[in-house]
Amino acid sequence: MIPDLQKENEFPLSLFLSGKNCKSYLFFGAHTISSKGTQYHCFRVWAPHARSVSLVGDFNRWDRSQTPMHAIGGGVWECCIPRLEQFAAYKYSIESRDGKIRMKADPYGAHYETRPATASKIYESSYEWKDDAWRKAKRQRNIYKSPVNVYEVHFNSWRTNPDGSFLDYRTFAKQMIPYLQKMSYTHIEFMPLTEYPYDGSWGYQVTGYFAPTSRFGTPDDFRAMVDAFHAAGIGVILDWVPAHFPKDEHGLFEFDGGCCYEYEDVRKGEHFAWGTKVFDYGRPEVCSFLISSACCWFEEFHVDGLRVDAVASMLYLDYDRPDGQWCPNKNGGRENLEAIDFLRHLNEAVFEKFPDALMIAEESTAWPMVTKPTCDGGLGFNFKWNMGWMNDMLRYMSMDPLFRSGNHDKLTFSFFYCFSENYVLPISHDEVVHGKCSMIGKMSGGYDQKFDSYRAFLGYMMAHPGKKLLFMGQEFAQMKEWDYQHQLDWMLLDYPKHNTMLKYTRKLNRFYAEHPPLWERDDSWDGFSWIANDDYQQSVIAFRRFDDKGEELIVVCNFVPVERREYRIGVPYKGSYKLLFNSDATEFGGSGAAEKAVKSEAIPMHGFDNSIALTLAPLSTMFFKPVPYKKRRSTKKSAPPKAAQK
């Protein structure tokens, strides 16, 4: 033992054992220390069931007898050796109580060998960040009142090198950044880039919770990529998986011969459908591990947000488990009380240190108050994927327009709850894989009609309250469903329909970014008001969106392939209404049937003294604004919207 090291260990070890060490990655793993002018690498690992632990690697010919570790309390083992070279490979050789030897990668490893190799590697960063201006601007931004338009990406398959090999982190940034800027996306969201062994898991079966995957470069290459996105004004969100982990031999599974990171009770500890293990959220050490992982990505890698995967599977003890294969909680309910506490502590820890972070829950049920503060009984996230909206709308758009009149509720129901949480509207990878087909493939009708429907849908999505997310390839109407083993079908841009679709998405994104009524009051009824939601027979809806100044846009959607002439809606002001954006415009491949501007008439309708008669293009979404575009007195009896209160 290096002198005074034991005393230095006491505080971080105590925090770790109590579940409150949110920087345990600074204590565990491999770290350089100095003593009397000599540098050492100090290794620490948590293995509470182990009989003995040794450090093995290239430096000692993988001989477990050469570098034994000693217990320092709380199931933690430690050793210090002369400082190793950068990229030196190592593992922990763990002797379990039954005498079996397990070779394990470092759970806190900063870098790993590229699969199929599985060892951890010494890595100490020398990167100098250059994103101070981005981080300062982000601290001053109110994300709830800002445009958020996310481009979701699977790193391997967005684009590859000509020989089919993967892009590296730095090259990816050089190619992606101009594309995102041209398309007016505000954020990029990566499917998991935490180290994982199997490509076919898409990154969702993690073995390295503190390291970017080595498939695409070093941790500093990852940092440089994030830095480049920030320099371009683009936020970075990373998918993060605290719900489960795989059974790979070198990973967390039965780490020291016993159930260390996972629940012992198989009724709580395994996702049978996924073939993975569930973290034991009742163990303080596991909570320290996971919360530290989340904080590490914000602190060490400067990501702007984490999309927390499979939250529903954490919240419910009976998630994907038939009767008899799950165990009720102490109150007889099906809620996982330990997981609920963990999620609250996770969000409290993240927001205490990173108040401008994005913590986004992929939660697919009606669990209440997901995005409410923990002090009010919420889970403490600041955004949640709106899976209900997604499911309803994809069913609606997939059905023959003839039957949409009988399913009008799928179009309008989301507006009843869209302000109960801070929502993201997700069209994610999950909707275009496993036989679900691409988004353009989901649209009803023939080839041309599919494009008309898809443009109308994306326009409606931009108009609906909530932040936006679209999976790669859907912006140009990829025809086949997503295949993680091949890059997107970029050759489709040689075809007019797909090239025009990309142009449409680009202009729609820009229109969204430039018009505050579409995002400034996403979380409040003050930013939304119906004009007409009950014309189910013609599958038409019309509503208003407001910004903080009271300026507004009027949105009219027609979801059947029928042109409606002289279609009348009530309007709040006497005057002209200018058509700003039309999904059916000729430049996007549409009919261009709608007028550029219409004047109101003193014909009462929908609770207003005035109305306008429109030509509704078939399968279209149209955006209008009053002219001149300034605040006026509404002729509707209800009061004009007030500024949103946070």
Side-chain angles (χ1 to χ4, degrees), residues 213-264:
T213 177
S214 60
R215 287 167 175 79
F216 316 120
T218 68
D220 279 357
D221 291 331
F222 181 92
R223 290 180 172 94
M225 178 184 71
V226 173
D227 222 353
F229 280 116
H230 287 171
I234 298 165
V236 178
I237 302 168
L238 182 66
D239 275 16
W240 183 67
V241 191
H244 61 124
F245 58 90
K247 298 180 182 178
D248 293 75
E249 187 177 3
H250 68 284
L252 301 179
F253 174 60
E254 295 182 354
F255 186 76
D256 54 9
C259 290
C260 189
Y261 287 89
E262 63 267 60
Y263 282 112
E264 289 189 26

Side-chain angles (χ1 to χ4, degrees), residues 158 299 345 388 458:
W158 178 69
E299 180 71 31
H345 293 155
L458 289 179

Side-chain angles (χ1 to χ4, degrees), residues 24 184 199 216 283 298 304 405 410 429 477 492 497 584:
S24 58
S184 296
D199 288 12
F216 316 120
R283 291 204 73 157
F298 287 106
D304 301 287
S405 62
K410 295 194 184 325
H429 66 277
L492 287 175
K497 281 285 187 182
D584 188 61

Side-chain angles (χ1 to χ4, degrees), residues 191-226:
M191 293 167 67
L193 292 176
T194 39
E195 190 59 80
Y196 60 101
Y198 176 48
D199 288 12
S201 77
W202 314 335
Y204 288 98
Q205 296 192 8
V206 180
T207 52
Y209 275 81
F210 296 84
T213 177
S214 60
R215 287 167 175 79
F216 316 120
T218 68
D220 279 357
D221 291 331
F222 181 92
R223 290 180 172 94
M225 178 184 71
V226 173

Side-chain angles (χ1 to χ4, degrees), residues 494-510:
D494 293 334
Y495 295 85
K497 281 285 187 182
H498 296 275
N499 196 293
T500 302
M501 189 70 219
L502 183 69
K503 176 183 178 182
Y504 172 76
T505 308
R506 181 173 71 247
K507 290 201 170 185
L508 179 63
N509 287 351
R510 188 178 305 154

Side-chain angles (χ1 to χ4, degrees), residues 147-208:
V148 175
N149 192 3
V150 183
Y151 188 64
E152 187 193 20
V153 170
H154 179 252
F155 195 105
N156 314 37
S157 59
W158 178 69
R159 183 171 282 152
T160 60
N161 290 311
D163 63 358
S165 61
F166 300 148
L167 302 178
D168 60 64
Y169 288 122
R170 294 173 188 258
T171 303
F172 179 91
K174 289 178 182 177
Q175 294 191 17
M176 177 61 84
I177 285 171
Y179 185 74
L180 294 180
Q181 290 177 320
K182 185 177 181 180
M183 294 297 295
S184 296
Y185 285 105
T186 63
H187 294 74
I188 185 169
E189 178 176 320
F190 289 104
M191 293 167 67
L193 292 176
T194 39
E195 190 59 80
Y196 60 101
Y198 176 48
D199 288 12
S201 77
W202 314 335
Y204 288 98
Q205 296 192 8
V206 180
T207 52

Side-chain angles (χ1 to χ4, degrees), residues 351-530:
F351 286 118
E352 179 181 1
K353 297 184 176 298
F354 313 100
D356 52 9
L358 296 173
M359 290 295 287
I360 306 166
E362 190 235 352
E363 203 288 306
S364 56
T365 74
W367 188 278
M369 302 177 67
V370 172
T371 60
K372 303 304 179 185
T374 59
C375 59
D376 294 333
L379 292 183
F381 291 92
N382 55 357
F383 286 98
K384 170 185 172 175
W385 275 19
N386 192 336
M387 308 294 278
W389 169 86
M390 178 273 298
N391 284 314
D392 282 350
M393 281 308 300
L394 294 190
R395 284 197 292 269
Y396 184 81
M397 297 306 298
S398 297
M399 67 178 60
D400 189 311
L402 181 66
F403 301 108
R404 287 179 182 167
S405 62
N407 291 272
H408 198 67
D409 61 315
K410 295 194 184 325
L411 182 62
T412 59
F413 180 68
S414 59
F415 291 94
F416 285 96
Y417 63 83
C418 64
F419 305 116
S420 62
E421 304 275 9
N422 299 322
Y423 280 116
V424 175
L425 307 183
I427 300 299
S428 76
H429 66 277
D430 277 330
E431 313 319 316
V432 295
V433 75
H434 293 325
K436 297 178 183 177
C437 76
S438 65
M439 280 299 296
I440 192 69
K442 295 179 194 297
M443 302 296 115
S444 64
Y447 181 75
D448 289 342
Q449 189 179 106
K450 285 180 181 292
F451 283 87
D452 296 339
S453 290
Y454 191 37
R455 293 195 308 272
F457 167 74
L458 289 179
Y460 159 85
M461 177 180 174
M462 284 300 178
H464 192 291
K467 309 308 183 186
K468 323 300 177 188
L469 178 143
L470 189 67
F471 184 57
M472 64 181 197
Q474 311 316 303
E475 71 275 19
F476 60 83
Q478 168 115 349
M479 293 299 292
K480 67 180 184 181
E481 69 177 26
W482 170 55
D483 177 2
Y484 77 92
Q485 295 178 306
H486 299 94
Q487 71 170 5
L488 298 179
D489 292 336
W490 295 103
M491 77 287 186
L492 287 175
L493 295 179
D494 293 334
Y495 295 85
K497 281 285 187 182
H498 296 275
N499 196 293
T500 302
M501 189 70 219
L502 183 69
K503 176 183 178 182
Y504 172 76
T505 308
R506 181 173 71 247
K507 290 201 170 185
L508 179 63
N509 287 351
R510 188 178 305 154
F511 181 81
Y512 166 77
E514 292 174 348
H515 288 84
L518 297 179
W519 41 260
E520 202 164 53
R521 292 186 182 180
D522 264 335
D523 57 352
S524 169
W525 278 106
D526 290 337
F528 175 88
S529 177
W530 279 114

